[in-house]
Amino acid sequence: MRNHLFIRLEWRQMLRSRWMQSVALLFVFVFASISLIQQIALPNDLGFTRQTASFLNLLLFLLPLFILTIGSMGVASDLESGWFSLLKTYPLSVIQYIIGKYIALLLSFTLILLLAFGVVLTMNGISGQIHFPTIFLGLSILTMLIFSSIAILCGILAKNRLHALAVSLVVWALSLLLISYALMAVGTVVAGHVLQKITIVMIHINPAEWIRFGYFLFSDQTSVLGPSFYSFTEFYSSPVGYLLYAVITILWIVFPILLAKWLLEKRGRQA
């Protein structure tokens, strides 16, 4: 089986999934609701407004959640049902399988987000009242690239679909909720400069915080992090900082895929 045929097959299956169709409707509804509220409440505000904060929270909470759950359960289902064993009888390598699942997942959520953004831009065009930050398109792509690779890894780590759901929810909760709460708890017992260093480390090792930091960095709103992070944000605002951000982002995409490949090959040798 050629790789592009496998990608097309996986993409069609995802688009036919009722889960994926429900997610598409949810994103369109929520994005449209945020835009409508913004038109009524704050029609002339630009910059980091309630609308941009709402879009940012939506992308960082809902998008990773659905990518992780749907992506990991799809891989776990292939392994549990024997579909992957059947695919191995075709000239399809492990890395081709993983890349195929990864690209199909990216294409599916790209279509969903384009549909949601299209509705928002249509509403903007009709009303002519609000400004839609184009940086959210890049932020969405970055979120999909990183969390799709993590979703593939979660699916391979899981024993079955239910386990994949549990693993993906744990990863989501750690990235979006628990680590932040832990930092707040640590901040009550350590000195400020120690908390600052811990926070900087957490920004690099937590994909959700890394993406959030990317938004502030590329929208020139790093001042919201406070004066204690001035040196940190000043470095990342330089050409070398942008290059380092790109390198770390690539590592967040590539490393889970390579680890997933190694684990799947190891499972195949043990079977």
Side-chain angles (χ1 to χ4, degrees), residues 173-186:
L174 283 173
S175 300
L176 275 301
L177 299 173
L178 300 182
I179 292 180
S180 298
Y181 292 147
L183 274 177
M184 288 188 285
V186 170

Side-chain angles (χ1 to χ4, degrees), residues 40-240:
I40 297 173
L42 298 166
N44 297 317
D45 284 355
L46 299 175
F48 192 68
T49 63
R50 294 179 188 176
Q51 182 203 15
T52 56
S54 298
F55 275 123
L56 183 62
N57 290 331
L58 173 66
L59 289 176
L60 289 181
F61 275 83
L62 290 186
L63 188 56
L65 174 63
F66 289 122
I67 290 176
L68 288 171
T69 52
I70 293 176
S72 63
M73 289 178 68
V75 174
S77 176
D78 290 349
L79 299 175
E80 183 183 10
S81 64
W83 173 244
F84 176 70
S85 299
L86 177 62
L87 289 175
K88 287 196 299 184
T89 62
Y90 293 90
L92 186 73
S93 64
V94 170
I95 190 62
Q96 286 177 326
Y97 167 79
I98 292 175
I99 295 298
K101 298 289 289 190
Y102 179 74
I103 294 177
L105 190 61
L106 283 178
L107 290 175
S108 299
F109 277 93
T110 298
L111 185 61
I112 290 174
L113 286 176
L114 287 177
L115 180 62
F117 285 151
V119 171
V120 173
L121 291 175
T122 300
M123 294 177 63
N124 291 351
I126 295 175
S127 64
Q129 290 184 328
I130 66 172
H131 169 70
F132 182 79
T134 55
I135 191 174
F136 281 116
L137 182 59
L139 186 70
S140 303
I141 295 173
L142 185 62
T143 303
M144 289 188 297
L145 288 172
I146 291 177
F147 278 95
S148 292
S149 63
I150 298 175
I152 301 297
L153 177 60
C154 290
I156 292 175
L157 287 171
K159 299 177 181 178
N160 49 54
R161 281 173 291 183
L162 186 59
H163 190 205
L165 177 62
V167 171
S168 60
L169 289 177
V170 169
V171 172
W172 176 82
L174 283 173
S175 300
L176 275 301
L177 299 173
L178 300 182
I179 292 180
S180 298
Y181 292 147
L183 274 177
M184 288 188 285
V186 170
T188 61
V189 296
V190 301
H193 67 280
V194 176
L195 179 63
Q196 177 194 14
K197 291 181 175 60
I198 296 175
T199 302
I200 290 175
V201 172
M202 288 297 107
I203 288 176
H204 289 84
I205 67 174
N206 183 353
E209 292 303 325
W210 184 245
I211 295 169
R212 193 193 306 272
F213 173 67
Y215 168 77
F216 294 129
L217 178 64
F218 294 107
S219 61
D220 294 324
Q221 299 186 40
T222 53
S223 58
V224 301
L225 298 176
S228 59
F229 290 90
Y230 176 79
S231 298
F232 173 66
T233 56
E234 189 72 11
F235 167 74
Y236 270 103
S237 299
S238 66
V240 176

